[in-house]
Amino acid sequence: SYVLTQPPSVSVPPGETAGISCGGNNVGSKSVHWYQQRPGQAPVLVIYYDRDRPSGIPERFSGSNSGNMATLTISRVEAGDEADYYCQVWDTSTTYGAVFGGGTKLTVL
Amino acid sequence: EVQLVESGGGLVQPGESLRLSCAGSGFNVNVNFMSWVRQAPGKGLEWVALIYSGGGMYYADSVKGRFIIFRDDSKNTVYLQMNSLRVEDTGLYYCATPVNGKDAFDMWGQGTMVTVSS
């Protein structure tokens, strides 16, 4: 089955830029979605189809995807961005289904 | 208001069964696809099952043969019948769906907790 690998944690000072990686075999050939999950809350979609933002998501959130790595970039990080972030793709091989990365805890220092 | 509301969670013993419900409001749950996603305490998200508008169903290997996803269009509700429950099935179960025609989950319920323990 398909595997997505994320770093367990990323820490950045407020106002800086945070990059969260999501590695997978030829993940650039798939569409990657990103979710933000604050403590005690349900996940929220922040990026879909690699780089598109749903309405209501700040322009500070952006995404890219190429080769074996997708990246979620959060510019001008704010305290409110502190959360867990998950990448997700669809595995259309023999074991069809959604695949989530292990999640990355973003800490705003 | 467009929303999903899960119910049916609880405490059960290993080997027992439980049925979760996910009621949709403000949209039809049979238009695109509906999924169940779970999260063990302190862990990440794990996809569990999916049902398409045409009725096709898919399951994670960890639940295949034990869980069944089905839908009642008259009640605008999707269900997850969970049989032969194991301790490792413990977690918060969310239903989720792409409301806006994408294949990303842009709508999630608040989750219902399932605890499997002896």
Side-chain angles (χ1 to χ4, degrees):
Chain A
S1 59
Y2 196 77
V3 175
L4 293 172
T5 301
Q6 298 181 237
S9 62
V10 167
S11 301
V12 295
E16 298 297 310
T17 297
I20 299 174
S21 62
C22 174
N25 183 30
N26 198 25
V27 71
S29 67
K30 299 178 179 294
S31 292
V32 178
H33 311 307
W34 289 92
Y35 303 87
Q36 174 194 68
Q37 187 180 33
R38 295 189 173 105
Q41 297 185 18
V44 172
L45 180 68
V46 293
I47 292 288
Y48 64 97
Y49 293 156
D50 299 337
R51 60 182 65 247
D52 293 339
R53 279 177 294 103
S55 60
I57 300 301
E59 292 183 5
R60 301 184 296 104
F61 287 78
S62 62
S64 63
N65 185 19
S66 178
N68 294 318
M69 192 72 70
T71 302
L72 173 68
T73 301
I74 308 172
S75 304
R76 303 181 299 281
V77 166
E78 302 173 356
D81 298 331
E82 189 161 288
D84 293 324
Y85 291 85
Y86 296 89
C87 56
Q88 179 250 315
V89 300
W90 288 95
D91 182 5
T92 57
S93 65
T94 55
T95 56
Y96 183 88
V99 177
F100 288 93
T104 298
K105 169 67 176 176
L106 173 65
T107 299
V108 181
L109 299 172
Chain B
E1 182 183 6
V2 180
Q3 65 176 352
L4 294 168
V5 178
E6 302 97 333
S7 60
L11 172 63
V12 296
Q13 294 188 341
E16 293 185 340
S17 298
L18 204 58
R19 179 179 294 181
L20 307 183
S21 301
C22 171
S25 61
F27 74 104
N28 292 326
V29 299
N30 63 359
V31 169
N32 198 337
F33 65 85
M34 297 289 295
S35 262
W36 287 94
V37 177
R38 67 185 180 185
Q39 187 168 34
K43 301 298 184 181
L45 302 174
E46 179 190 15
W47 175 78
V48 174
L50 172 155
I51 183 166
Y52 276 108
S53 57
M57 298 162 287
Y58 295 88
Y59 300 92
D61 288 343
S62 58
V63 306
K64 200 171 296 182
R66 300 188 298 123
F67 289 11
I68 301 171
I69 187 171
F70 63 100
R71 191 179 69 220
D72 185 336
D73 292 344
S74 68
K75 296 182 178 180
N76 206 35
T77 298
V78 173
Y79 301 90
L80 186 68
Q81 177 67 40
M82 304 186 295
N83 301 321
S84 304
L85 281 163
R86 305 168 179 169
V87 171
E88 55 265 34
D89 294 320
T90 294
L92 188 60
Y93 283 70
Y94 296 101
C95 62
T97 188
V99 171
N100 293 312
K102 306 178 283 290
D103 66 2
F105 300 116
D106 58 6
M107 169 156 295
W108 297 69
Q110 83 289 350
T112 186
M113 187 67 196
V114 173
T115 303
V116 185
S117 175
S118 56

